[in-house]
Amino acid sequence: SHARYATGDDGANSVWVAPHPQYEALGLDKNAKQAAYRQLFRQTLPEIDLTTIRDATNKGWALGNDRFREEIESLGSRRAVSKGRGRPRKVKDAVVIKGV
């Protein structure tokens, strides 16, 4: 979609891209819309944000605040965020000291 919106590329892979209302609101004509769209991508994301986005995308987790994730979980039949890696740690038996 970036090639279509940023440059007007009408290649074979662009036929599935339908103009989004927010894109349509970027300008009065095709050139103004494309220039405004390209401007949106001039700033790069911090590496930590990019890593977070990629991690959520690759693992199928919801990306958002706690309220958003809880809402997504209530709508679906699976967790929307990881519970952490591996099994929970076992709690070692408490040591009982006699005479104390």
Side-chain angles (χ1 to χ4, degrees), residues 5-99:
Y5 289 149
T7 66
D9 180 3
D10 289 329
N13 291 328
S14 67
V15 296
W16 58 268
V17 179
H20 192 279
Q22 289 181 331
Y23 175 77
E24 293 296 329
L26 290 176
L28 297 176
D29 62 26
K30 182 178 177 179
N31 290 333
K33 291 174 193 174
Q34 289 172 3
Y37 189 80
R38 287 191 303 270
Q39 189 63 34
L40 294 171
F41 294 90
R42 296 239 187 261
Q43 184 177 357
T44 59
L45 289 174
E47 190 62 35
I48 187 70
D49 292 342
L50 190 54
T51 299
T52 302
I53 292 167
R54 285 180 176 151
D55 194 41
T57 301
N58 291 336
K59 294 179 180 177
W61 300 123
L63 181 60
N65 62 24
D66 289 341
R67 189 176 127 239
F68 174 76
R69 289 192 303 260
E70 288 169 7
E71 187 174 338
I72 294 299
E73 285 182 354
S74 72
L75 294 172
S77 59
R78 65 186 287 270
R79 288 192 325 269
V81 67
S82 173
K83 297 268 186 191
R85 294 182 69 176
R87 294 184 192 176
R89 294 180 184 260
K90 291 184 178 180
V91 178
K92 295 200 179 212
D93 294 334
V95 176
V96 177
I97 303 173
K98 293 184 178 183

